[in-house]
Amino acid sequence: MLKLNRIYKELIIFSYILGSLFICLTGKLNKFLNPKMNIYFYIFIGIMCVLLVFEIKDVLKSKDRKSYTLRIFDILYILPITFLFFIGNGSLSAETVGNKGLNVTSVQTSLNTTGNANDNKGQKDIEVTNENYMDTISEISYNVENYIGKKIKVTGFIHKDNNLASDKFVLGRLYMSCCTADSQVIGYICSYEKQSDLEENSWYQVEAVINKTVYSGEETALLDITSIVKIDKPENEYVF
Amino acid sequence: MTKLSDISIIFTSIIFEAFPFIMLGVIISAIIQEFVPDDFFKKIMPKNPILGSIVGILMGLFIPSCDCAVIPVARRLIKKGIPLNVGITFMIASPIVNPVVILATFYSFGAKIPSMVFYRTGLGILIAILVGILVSILTKKDEIFKEKNSSTFYKKCSCGCHLDTHEHSVSNNFLKRIDRIIKHTTEELLDITKFLIIGALIASVIQVIIPRSILLDLNANKSLEILVFMVFAYVISLCSTADSFVAKTFINQVTNNSILAFLLLGPMIDIKNTLILFRSYDKKLVFKIIGLIFILVFLISYFVRL
C-alpha cells in the first residue's frame, strides 16, 4: 500500500505542476510575472513533469524504497497551493498599490526604450496604448521640451500623492520589471481642478495637453486635462 | 481579507518567479556533482587567496546567475573542494556583476546618478572579496557544513543529499548518469523550496503590512537611514535585476548613501537566501557571512562620497 510519506515528493511536484498550469490557463500569469519571464516558467513546468515521471518510475520500481519521516515543518509545502485560493482576481488592493514606490520623472527602465515612441514624434496627437506605454513615457519624461503643447490620450488609474498640490494627481499604471513584488506606480502628473471628484484607484481615460512641471527637483511632464472619462478596469493593469 | 489576498498575490509572484531560477541552479549543481571529478578544483585553483577571490569574481561574471540560482551552485562547488573564500566571493558577487544587473542599474540611474553603477559594481566586488577572505580566515575546514547528526543525511552519498536508492560511481553509463542528475535535482529542489517558502512568506507579509512612509521619515539621521535601507533590502528580497528600479523611486527622498546601501546589500543577502544558507551551512558560518556583509556594506556606504 502506498503511504503518504512514501509518495510525498510525487504529491508536491504534482500539485506544483497543477498550480502552475492553473495560473497559466486562467490567464493570470502576467499578473505575477513580466512576459519576458514566461518562457522560463514554461521550461520550469516542463522540467517538473520530467522530475515527476522519474519519481513515479522510482516508486513503482523499488518496493524497498525507504520511507521518509514527515516532519511538522513539511506542512510548508502546501502554502504555495493554499495561497492560490486567496489570490482573487490577482489584482492588488488600492492600499497596497499606494504603499509602492512612485516614478514620475525620467522613467527609463531598460534597453527597449525609444523604438515605438519615435512613431509619435511627427504626429500631432499622441495615443498611448498598453504596448507603447513604457516607450512613450520614457521618451516624454526625458525630453518633455519636445512635446510641450502636444495632445495626448492615455488611460490609467487615479493615484493621489501627498507631495502634489491639491489640484494635481498621478494618472498611473503599475510597471512590473520582474514580478509583482517589485511592481511600481509609474505615470503622468495631471492637473485637474475637480481633482477631489476623482476616486482613488478608479480608472479613467484622459485627453490632455502636455506641459511641464517640477517634481522632487526634476523636470517632468504635466498633463493639462481637457477631457476625462471613467472607464472599466482593463484586463491586465500592468505595463511591461 | 484584502490584505490576505495581497499577501497571497505577492507571495505567489515571488515563489513562481524564483522557481525557474532555483531549478536552474539546482540542475547546474547536479551536473557538477555528476561530471566534475572530486579533486578537479583542488588541482586547478590558485593557492593564493587574493588570486582565488579574483577567480571567484570572474566565475560570477562568466556564470551569470541571480541570487536564487547561485546558492546551490556555490554550495556544490564548495563541497567539491573549491576554497571557501572563492565560493563565498562567487556567491556574493555574482548577482552584482551579472551583466543584466549592471545594465539595469545603468539604465535606472543613468540620468540622475550616473556614477551609481560604478559604485555598485566596484564596491560590490570589493565587499565580496573581503567577506570571502575574512570568513575563510575565521572558519576551520570542518565548520563549513551543517553538522551531520541528522539521521541518514550525508552518510551514504558524498554529495550531501539523502538518497539511498542510488549508488554513486557504480555505473557510469549515460542513462544512469541522467537518472542520478534528475534525482539530485528533485532532492535539492524540494529541500530548498521549503526555505524559499518561508522567505517569500516573510517578504510578502512585510511588503503589505509595513507602510513605506516609515522609510522616509528618517531624514535627520544619516547612519540610521542607511541601516534602515539595508534592513529594507534584506527583508523585501527582491530579484537583483529588479531592485535598481525600486531604489530609483527613493532618489531625492533619501541620501544617495542609503540608496547605495540598498543596492549593495540586496543582491548579496536577503531573507530568502539566509534561510537557504542556514539549510546548507553550519550556522556559525552563516552568521559570520551575514554579519560581515552588514558591517562592510554599512561602513562603505557611510563613508563613500556620492
Side-chain angles (χ1 to χ4, degrees):
Chain A
M1 200 186 92
L2 285 176
K3 286 185 184 150
L4 183 64
N5 57 1
R6 287 195 52 178
I7 57 159
Y8 83 103
K9 282 191 272 184
E10 291 74 16
L11 285 177
I12 294 168
I13 297 174
F14 184 60
S15 64
Y16 286 6
I17 294 173
L18 282 187
S20 310
L21 289 176
F22 167 79
I23 291 180
C24 292
L25 296 177
T26 50
K28 292 201 182 83
L29 183 57
N30 295 123
K31 291 193 167 203
F32 298 105
L33 292 183
N34 184 311
K36 73 179 184 214
M37 319 276 283
N38 286 5
I39 181 71
Y40 305 120
F41 191 67
Y42 299 145
I43 295 172
F44 165 74
I45 299 176
I47 297 177
M48 285 295 265
C49 293
V50 174
L51 298 185
L52 182 65
V53 169
F54 271 74
E55 280 301 321
I56 291 175
K57 194 191 80 184
D58 197 46
V59 170
L60 297 177
K61 211 171 64 183
S62 57
K63 292 201 180 78
D64 56 339
R65 194 165 101 134
K66 245 189 153 183
S67 61
Y68 170 80
T69 324
L70 285 173
R71 301 198 179 85
I72 186 78
F73 202 38
D74 292 317
I75 200 91
L76 286 168
Y77 282 123
I78 65 169
L79 271 186
I81 299 303
T82 318
F83 272 158
L84 284 182
F85 290 98
F86 296 104
I87 56 177
N89 60 6
S91 298
L92 293 172
S93 70
E95 209 179 325
T96 302
V97 169
N99 205 14
K100 297 210 167 254
L102 174 67
N103 234 319
V104 288
T105 56
S106 333
V107 185
Q108 187 176 14
T109 53
S110 64
L111 301 163
N112 60 352
T113 48
T114 63
N116 295 343
N118 289 332
D119 302 346
N120 284 321
K121 261 188 183 151
Q123 295 165 17
K124 206 159 183 227
D125 301 344
I126 299 167
E127 185 154 353
V128 181
T129 60
N130 275 352
E131 287 69 37
N132 71 8
Y133 194 94
M134 288 310 293
D135 293 336
T136 315
I137 195 169
S138 43
E139 173 66 20
I140 294 178
S141 65
Y142 259 86
N143 306 311
V144 63
E145 298 284 351
N146 298 345
Y147 291 90
I148 290 176
K150 288 201 174 177
K151 283 186 186 158
I152 185 171
K153 193 169 167 185
V154 58
T155 58
F157 60 84
I158 306 295
H159 177 78
K160 295 179 182 175
D161 185 69
N162 293 337
N163 298 331
L164 290 172
S166 63
D167 63 335
K168 295 202 173 61
F169 66 93
V170 172
L171 191 71
R173 294 298 297 257
L174 279 170
Y175 167 77
M176 188 195 290
S177 57
C178 285
C179 70
T180 320
D182 61 53
S183 59
Q184 300 286 319
V185 179
I186 61 167
Y188 297 92
I189 298 173
C190 297
S191 166
Y192 186 57
E193 280 172 17
K194 286 176 266 176
Q195 185 254 37
S196 52
D197 297 349
L198 305 173
E199 200 185 323
E200 174 92 23
N201 216 36
S202 53
W203 286 74
Y204 287 88
Q205 181 168 60
V206 159
E207 287 180 33
V209 177
I210 299 175
N211 201 338
K212 67 174 179 180
T213 183
V214 173
Y215 182 83
S216 67
E218 243 191 306
E219 258 187 19
T220 191
L222 173 73
L223 305 189
D224 286 324
I225 289 180
T226 50
S227 101
I228 182 162
V229 187
K230 193 164 180 172
I231 55 167
D232 288 335
K233 185 177 176 177
E235 193 117 311
N236 198 335
E237 64 266 49
Y238 295 96
V239 288
F240 305 100
Chain B
M1 200 58 195
T2 59
K3 289 242 193 265
L4 178 63
S5 134
D6 288 346
I7 290 170
S8 305
I9 291 167
I10 292 175
F11 175 84
T12 308
S13 83
I14 296 177
I15 289 276
F16 284 107
E17 193 219 359
F19 261 150
F21 295 99
I22 288 186
M23 175 87 93
L24 175 73
V26 169
I27 291 174
I28 295 175
S29 152
I31 291 174
I32 294 173
Q33 166 65 25
E34 188 59 40
F35 287 104
V36 178
D38 279 339
D39 55 353
F40 177 74
F41 288 113
K42 281 207 184 86
K43 278 187 202 150
I44 63 156
M45 276 294 162
K47 294 277 179 294
N48 182 317
I50 307 275
L51 222 55
S53 303
I54 292 168
V55 172
I57 300 287
L58 291 177
M59 278 161 51
L61 200 61
F62 291 111
I63 319 174
S65 45
C66 57
D67 42 345
C68 295
V70 75
I71 291 188
V73 179
R75 167 164 79 162
R76 177 69 62 219
L77 290 173
I78 295 172
K79 274 207 198 293
K80 279 281 183 187
I82 72 164
L84 185 61
N85 71 309
V86 180
I88 290 178
T89 301
F90 166 65
M91 180 172 76
I92 298 174
S94 55
I96 291 188
V97 298
N98 181 341
V100 179
V101 176
I102 295 180
L103 272 183
T105 314
F106 175 73
Y107 280 104
S108 299
F109 288 92
K112 290 175 182 171
I113 317 174
S115 56
M116 188 59 96
V117 61
F118 300 108
Y119 281 110
R120 182 186 200 186
T121 315
L123 295 173
I125 290 173
L126 177 70
I127 293 171
I129 293 176
L130 287 176
V131 172
I133 291 174
L134 289 172
V135 169
S136 63
I137 291 171
L138 296 170
T139 309
K140 290 190 209 102
K141 261 241 157 69
D142 56 342
E143 290 175 347
I144 298 178
F145 292 105
K146 232 175 137 92
E147 279 179 46
K148 299 164 179 62
N149 55 4
S150 42
S151 67
T152 59
F153 281 23
Y154 308 111
K155 268 184 198 158
K156 302 230 158 137
C157 174
S158 68
C159 67
C161 68
H162 48 283
L163 289 173
D164 40 28
T165 51
H166 68 303
E167 298 120 19
H168 279 277
S169 59
V170 171
S171 160
N172 278 338
N173 86 48
F174 188 67
L175 283 178
K176 276 267 186 296
R177 291 197 133 165
I178 296 289
D179 194 53
R180 286 198 296 259
I181 288 175
I182 288 180
K183 279 180 186 149
H184 272 139
T185 302
T186 311
E187 286 299 314
E188 208 171 357
L189 183 73
L190 290 183
D191 198 29
I192 288 182
T193 297
K194 228 187 304 190
F195 299 90
L196 171 71
I197 289 171
I198 309 175
L201 185 62
I202 297 172
S204 51
V205 168
I206 284 174
Q207 199 177 116
V208 173
I209 303 286
I210 308 278
R212 184 186 173 87
S213 53
I214 62 164
L215 289 171
L216 304 172
D217 296 341
L218 305 155
N219 40 15
N221 191 330
K222 183 180 171 190
S223 55
L224 183 64
E225 192 184 84
I226 290 175
L227 209 59
V228 167
F229 269 76
M230 286 163 59
V231 174
F232 178 53
Y234 182 77
V235 290
I236 60 165
S237 303
L238 289 180
C239 179
S240 53
T241 55
D243 61 356
S244 51
F245 192 67
V246 173
K248 189 183 164 220
T249 63
F250 291 104
I251 297 179
N252 296 337
Q253 303 191 38
V254 300
T255 61
N256 290 349
N257 300 69
S258 304
I259 293 175
L260 178 66
F262 176 89
L263 288 173
L264 283 174
L265 193 107
M268 293 182 177
I269 191 81
D270 59 38
I271 211 158
K272 71 176 192 275
N273 295 350
T274 304
L275 292 159
I276 299 172
L277 285 178
F278 273 119
R279 174 64 190 86
S280 309
Y281 302 103
D282 183 77
K283 61 175 183 296
K284 269 189 268 170
L285 177 69
V286 182
F287 282 127
K288 281 176 216 159
I289 296 176
I290 298 174
L292 282 167
I293 291 177
F294 264 86
I295 293 168
L296 289 171
V297 169
F298 179 79
L299 290 177
I300 286 180
S301 309
Y302 188 85
F303 287 108
V304 95
R305 277 189 181 200
L306 271 161

